[in-house]
Amino acid sequence: MEFATSSSPHISGSQSVSRVMAEVLLALVPGIVALIWFFGWGVLINIVIAAIAALTAEAAVLKLRGRPVLRTLGDLSALVTAVLLGLALPPTLPWWLTVLGVVFAIVIAKQLYGGLGYNPFNPAMAGYVLLLVSFPLDMTRWLPPAEVAQHTLDFADSLRLILTGSMPSGMTWDAMTGATPLDQMRTGLDMNRMIHEIRESPLWGSVGAVGWEWVAGLYLAGGLYLVWRKIISWHIPAGMLGGLFVIALLFNMIDAHTHPSPLFHLFSGATMLGAFFIATDPVSAATTNRGKLIYGALIGILVFVIRTYGGYPDAVAFAVLLMNMAAPTIDYYTQPRAFGHRKDGNG
Amino acid sequence: MSELQRPIHEFSGGLDLPGHKAQSTGRPIATAPLGQHFVVPLQQHIGEPTEPLVAVGDRVLTGQVIARAQDYISAPVHAPCSGTVAAIGDHAIPHPSGLQAACIVIDSDGADTWTELPEPWPDFMDRDPAELRERIRWAGIVGLGGAGFPTSVKVNPGPELPIHTLILNAAECEPYITCDDMLMREQADRILAGLAVIRHVVGASECLIGIEANKPDAIAAMRAAVVSSGCPDTHVMVVPAKYPSGGEKQLIQLLTGLEVPSQGLPAQIGVLCQNVATAAAVADAVLAGKPMLERVVTVSGQGVAEPGNFRVRLGTRMADVVALAGGYTDRVHRLILGGPMMGFALPSDELPITKTANCLLAASAAEIPDPPPALPCIRYGRCAEVCPALLLPQQLYWHARARDLDKTQDFNLFDCIECGCCAHVCPSHIPLVQYYRYAKTAIWSQERDKARADIARRRHEFRQERLARLEAERKARLRKKKEALDAQPKGAADPKKAAIEAAMKRVAAKKAAAAQQQPEN
Ligand code: SF4
Ligand code: SF4
């Protein structure tokens, strides 16, 4: 009897790229729900617009490059990029900016480098930074969380605002939107106010800011789920959160009036999202275990430095992109000692 | 017994794989009836091929040496039955690349008449290790765990590498394979006897028997046999069921905590590993004077009707062995020789069972699906987490793919044991091991080319040197002649030469005179 042959190993685990990506999407759900809860339907509308744009852009490029379209879309990596970018955008952002960011992420940052697996930069963060640098005003307008907002936008309002730019009658940008807590913190500090004064505003919760701390907590939960499912290893998040915590603690101990607590840093802005979902993007991160710890820690430190001294309110995107450039070098210098290469030769 | 005091160490990486062992352990080992035709490959081991000692038409007896080892690293081949040599020539053999190779084909006479065997040596403890090694060599025993390295060579590491620990590799970590498990359950005493022989040959002070925890019956049988045999300093050690615990380096680390140096031998750290079936074959050779004629083969998978273990004469057709297991079911999809992780897929079952054939896995499409298309590497890094050799499989892959062979060596390609863990977990389904094999083969052939070029260069240089030498000798001879000439007194100059010189002077003078007159013309 004749048989077809193939090369060993003949059995493979159940893991596949699309399953990895699907788990990542699943782990994001609690954080997204909280984000919608606190900041309205705009969040969801952004994500949907981003997803449509990402899939369309990827399909178009694949077609041009003569690659299989459906199979590649099926790896879900474009969807992950879209969701990560979508939820990082302000919930009032005009639709065409979202589309611009996503198309840049998919076409320039990902496909021009050869597609999944070849991109040196995290596509979602590349798109985010492009928007932030080019449209700083739109990108820094955030809604206050629903609990403390005087006006809230319902679904129709949000949709109209995003698609046509028109406000509900009698409302202005200034009345409706404000800065993010991180932004407030830095402008407050810039005006030489003390942290306890800044925190008197109703925006502030127990560790971070109202709403934000919940979102961060749920990202943390989703991230731990990914670690537990072995989708990501613990090294990068631990490195990043640890690095940020330690350096923030040091400064906080030196002067607690002008340096917010380390927990504030951990639970504000995109720290948790970045630690578990962005810095861990395997394609652009370091890959050895020691390398991942170093890579994560350096991102954490960079986040602190940029938040404290830089010109932008949040720093995760910049920190990740900067470290993306260092990843290959870190890998090179952190190769593990291969079996049988032990110096002393035995146990 | 002090199993409890001896810690089990750990090796890094590895996989928890479903064992699928119960499929083939339901029945005792069955002895296959003698077949009619046997195809015996001349090379069933790592090393030099053997040289046939019989011709077509010769009558042979069971156990007779029909091809002898030509070199130190080689193992003779014996007739698995009595009968007539029907052919000697190329025949398909089980080999990853579907090779044909020289085989001796024997038609059985059905009588199974044995040749005269050497005397059994129950007194092996009083014999010289060299004598025992010679017996093991005569018996044609090779590593039966899969590699097939001649055992007589392995048990002779030389006086500069003393062995303190002898390890019996009974881990059998590949899914589906149960031949060692069943052999331990049924013939623990025989295995221990073989172990005692090897221990005497290498002079080891202790024996460690490493068995995976998923074989409780085998563990119990071996423990009981150790007690009843009274072997001193022999410990049955239970290692966690984690693939590839049966990898030689991994098992050594599990049992002793020692790391075999990169590209080195276990003997360098005083350890020697032997497989269960090899030990049993050594017992037969020394205690019964029998050569290696048969082995236990697991036949398993959803592609056969009645999986089980079979004691089969070497050279039996695989299709016949499958028939013993009730034949194929209609679910059969792939035929694998060995396990699903490191075995290789056979193109056909018209192949002989050889010394290293431990398992025939007739798998269904559910068990061994066609490999899905490979996607790009997403540098997800799972491969590095499971690599027992602590390599960076993805970097190896990038460099192998880019044919950057130097870089693959920087990333320790040759420490890769081809266990397949990395490819197993790769979410992009990249056939990583295939790339590593390609890179290794390319490097070997490069080195062979280089070696060949070196020889050619040396030959060329030698020729140049010889030519230069000849030339120098010629010059020296000439010089000598000239010197001899110069040494003659000036006055005694050749009269002929003087006459010529005088004549030339006259001509020159005439020419000069003519030249002086010319301007006046
Ligand atoms: S597991 Fe596969 S996809 Fe992931 S890094 Fe290794 S080779 Fe690349
Ligand atoms: S096949 Fe080689 S690289 Fe892959 S896990 Fe095994 S030893 Fe490591």
Side-chain angles (χ1 to χ4, degrees):
Chain A
M1 193 162 161
E2 307 275 299
F3 297 92
T5 59
S6 53
S7 80
S8 72
H10 303 282
I11 47 173
S12 64
S14 50
Q15 213 57 275
S16 68
V17 175
S18 47
R19 276 192 50 174
V20 171
M21 298 293 168
E23 293 264 21
V24 171
L25 290 173
L26 183 68
L28 280 169
V29 168
I32 295 176
V33 170
L35 212 53
I36 297 172
W37 174 269
F38 289 108
F39 301 102
W41 291 106
V43 175
L44 186 64
I45 297 170
N46 276 348
I47 292 176
V48 172
I49 293 175
I52 295 171
L55 294 179
T56 316
E58 178 132 302
V61 179
L62 289 171
K63 193 111 213 182
L64 282 178
R65 293 178 61 199
R67 298 284 167 90
V69 174
L70 277 184
R71 208 178 80 205
T72 311
L73 288 188
D75 70 24
L76 299 183
S77 62
L79 207 56
V80 169
T81 299
V83 172
L84 285 175
L85 182 52
L87 54 77
L89 298 175
T92 55
L93 196 72
W95 65 272
W96 58 274
L97 282 183
T98 307
V99 170
L100 179 70
V102 169
V103 169
F104 178 81
I106 297 287
V107 177
I108 310 282
K110 181 179 173 188
Q111 290 291 348
L112 270 196
Y113 281 102
L116 177 67
Y118 299 92
N119 47 303
F121 296 105
N122 181 309
M125 288 306 98
Y128 180 84
V129 163
L130 172 86
L131 293 179
L132 185 59
V133 173
S134 324
F135 306 92
L137 193 65
D138 297 278
M139 286 293 286
T140 47
R141 252 184 210 143
W142 266 87
L143 294 174
E147 262 98 346
V148 294
Q150 277 120 16
H151 316 278
T152 52
L153 297 170
D154 62 19
F155 184 78
D157 290 340
S158 300
L159 196 61
R160 199 173 318 119
L161 180 61
I162 289 173
L163 292 184
T164 68
S166 62
M167 297 271 167
S169 58
M171 248 191 254
T172 62
W173 279 115
D174 286 347
M176 199 178 60
T177 62
T180 64
L182 268 173
D183 230 354
Q184 284 197 350
M185 180 62 82
R186 68 172 295 117
T187 21
L189 289 172
D190 283 350
M191 295 187 311
N192 285 327
R193 289 167 64 199
M194 297 287 174
I195 284 178
H196 63 92
E197 293 174 296
I198 302 172
R199 296 195 58 147
E200 272 160 17
S201 137
L203 271 179
W204 297 93
S206 40
V207 275
V210 173
W212 287 103
E213 38 186 35
W214 272 98
V215 174
L218 288 170
Y219 285 148
L220 171 65
L224 292 177
Y225 168 79
L226 290 184
V227 173
W228 173 64
R229 296 282 294 157
K230 293 198 172 164
I231 299 291
I232 58 177
S233 77
W234 55 270
H235 301 82
I236 292 179
M240 173 168 165
L241 298 179
L244 180 57
F245 187 89
V246 169
I247 190 167
L249 183 68
L250 276 178
F251 279 80
N252 183 251
M253 282 183 348
I254 294 169
D255 186 355
H257 292 303
T258 56
H259 291 287
S261 80
L263 281 181
F264 169 81
H265 275 288
L266 293 192
F267 283 87
S268 300
T271 308
M272 288 297 172
L273 182 68
F276 288 99
F277 295 93
I278 293 171
T280 48
D281 164 25
V283 178
S284 48
T287 55
T288 64
N289 281 347
R290 261 190 317 144
K292 286 183 200 164
L293 274 174
I294 296 172
Y295 173 85
L298 290 176
I299 292 182
I301 293 169
L302 271 179
V303 165
F304 179 84
V305 171
I306 301 175
R307 275 182 186 172
T308 312
Y309 305 106
Y312 289 96
D314 203 354
V316 171
F318 290 107
V320 169
L321 289 180
L322 281 173
M323 289 310 298
N324 283 171
M325 291 193 264
T329 317
I330 294 177
D331 272 351
Y332 186 82
Y333 287 105
T334 54
Q335 269 190 61
R337 178 198 62 86
F339 189 98
H341 288 259
R342 196 178 287 183
K343 292 259 160 49
D344 58 3
N346 60 42
Chain B
M1 297 305 100
S2 50
E3 291 82 45
L4 293 181
Q5 296 147 27
R6 298 193 67 101
I8 299 284
H9 301 262
E10 264 183 40
F11 71 92
S12 42
L15 298 173
D16 292 317
L17 295 175
H20 300 287
K21 304 270 192 185
Q23 280 185 27
S24 53
T25 54
R27 303 181 281 156
I29 300 171
T31 300
L34 206 60
Q36 282 170 349
H37 303 283
F38 289 84
V39 176
V40 187
L42 288 180
Q43 180 161 19
Q44 304 185 34
H45 54 265
I46 293 180
E48 299 301 315
T50 55
E51 182 192 16
L53 295 176
V54 291
V56 176
D58 282 4
R59 187 172 151 65
V60 293
L61 297 174
T62 311
Q64 178 184 335
V65 177
I66 50 175
R68 66 157 187 223
Q70 294 188 66
D71 213 304
Y72 178 57
I73 304 184
S74 187
V77 176
H78 303 73
C81 63
S82 55
T84 337
V85 176
I88 299 178
D90 279 357
H91 190 282
I93 56 159
H95 187 275
S97 52
L99 272 187
Q100 299 234 330
C103 296
I104 298 178
V105 182
I106 300 176
D107 284 339
S108 168
D109 59 11
D112 199 19
T113 320
W114 281 71
T115 183
E116 200 181 320
L117 295 174
E119 60 168 329
W121 287 342
D123 58 344
F124 67 88
M125 286 301 278
D126 303 327
R127 290 185 180 266
D128 187 59
E131 209 179 355
L132 294 170
R133 276 199 302 269
E134 206 32 63
R135 173 66 68 86
I136 293 171
R137 181 171 165 83
W138 161 82
I141 301 172
V142 303
L144 299 183
F149 190 78
T151 303
S152 61
V153 179
K154 196 168 173 183
V155 295
N156 188 18
E160 65 284 4
L161 295 176
I163 302 295
H164 51 73
T165 305
L166 173 62
I167 289 180
L168 185 69
N169 188 342
E172 202 166 47
C173 58
E174 272 244 29
Y176 294 96
I177 309 179
T178 56
C179 53
D180 288 352
D181 183 0
M182 294 307 288
L183 199 62
M184 286 190 283
R185 294 190 202 187
E186 297 183 12
Q187 305 193 340
D189 292 333
R190 181 170 154 235
I191 297 165
L192 276 182
L195 198 62
V197 173
I198 300 170
R199 178 179 184 168
H200 175 61
V201 171
V202 299
S205 53
E206 65 170 359
C207 286
L208 307 178
I209 302 170
I211 313 181
E212 267 197 355
N214 59 6
K215 303 179 208 7
D217 294 349
I219 293 166
M222 291 300 281
R223 284 210 165 124
V226 167
V227 173
S228 67
S229 73
C231 292
D233 294 313
T234 301
H235 310 280
V236 175
M237 295 172 72
V238 180
V239 300
K242 183 168 109 173
Y243 178 85
S245 65
E248 190 171 72
K249 295 176 174 185
Q250 279 64 39
L251 189 67
I252 290 172
Q253 189 170 39
L254 280 167
L255 300 189
T256 66
L258 299 176
E259 236 177 68
V260 180
S262 166
Q263 296 183 53
L265 293 172
Q268 286 169 254
I269 52 170
V271 178
L272 193 89
C273 250
Q274 289 292 338
N275 162 270
V276 167
T278 312
V282 167
D284 290 352
V286 174
L287 299 174
K290 276 189 180 173
M292 180 166 180
L293 295 188
E294 59 183 19
R295 67 157 300 142
V296 179
V297 182
T298 303
V299 183
S300 192
Q302 293 172 341
V304 287
E306 294 155 22
N309 280 280
F310 302 90
R311 187 169 291 108
V312 181
R313 291 275 169 99
L314 302 175
T316 304
R317 217 166 54 117
M318 289 177 180
D320 296 340
V321 182
V322 171
L324 290 175
Y328 296 110
T329 64
D330 45 12
R331 301 182 63 186
V332 66
H333 177 63
R334 281 276 145 87
L335 187 66
I336 310 284
L337 180 64
M341 292 298 288
M342 291 182 77
F344 55 89
L346 297 169
S348 140
D349 57 7
E350 297 290 327
L351 297 168
I353 292 286
T354 61
K355 291 175 183 175
T356 52
N358 52 359
C359 177
L360 281 177
L361 173 58
S364 68
E367 289 172 310
I368 296 191
D370 288 328
L375 295 175
C377 168
I378 57 168
R379 312 212 318 146
Y380 169 66
R382 275 290 277 147
C383 47
E385 281 166 39
V386 298
C387 175
L390 293 160
L391 305 177
L392 294 174
Q394 60 161 307
Q395 268 83 348
L396 280 175
Y397 157 68
W398 283 102
H399 297 310
R401 215 175 75 122
R403 287 159 210 262
D404 190 342
L405 298 179
D406 291 342
K407 272 275 172 50
T408 60
Q409 281 171 286
D410 287 351
F411 282 92
N412 301 313
L413 174 68
F414 284 98
D415 288 312
C416 167
I417 56 171
E418 297 180 23
C419 63
C421 290
C422 51
H424 185 270
V425 297
C426 176
S428 293
H429 306 296
I430 302 170
L432 296 165
V433 182
Q434 218 174 309
Y435 282 95
Y436 308 151
R437 277 195 209 113
Y438 150 76
K440 286 182 186 176
T441 318
I443 291 170
W444 282 324
S445 78
Q446 237 180 28
E447 271 166 13
R448 253 199 315 275
D449 289 352
K450 207 173 141 259
R452 219 176 281 143
D454 272 353
I455 292 172
R457 187 171 46 80
R458 237 173 290 145
R459 216 180 270 144
H460 176 72
E461 280 169 5
F462 187 69
R463 196 180 116 87
Q464 293 296 97
E465 230 168 70
R466 199 178 43 140
L467 290 181
R469 201 180 57 231
L470 289 179
E471 177 69 14
E473 282 169 9
R474 199 178 59 87
K475 280 206 179 121
R477 264 200 312 274
L478 274 179
R479 203 171 48 237
K480 247 189 219 147
K481 237 188 196 160
K482 217 170 131 214
E483 274 166 15
L485 279 178
D486 289 353
Q488 285 175 0
K490 285 271 188 258
D494 197 285
K496 224 185 202 168
K497 214 171 163 189
I500 293 171
E501 261 173 28
M504 280 173 72
K505 270 183 195 146
R506 277 196 304 275
V507 172
K510 248 191 205 162
K511 261 189 183 162
Q516 273 169 14
Q517 286 161 13
Q518 257 174 13
E520 293 171 24
N521 283 343

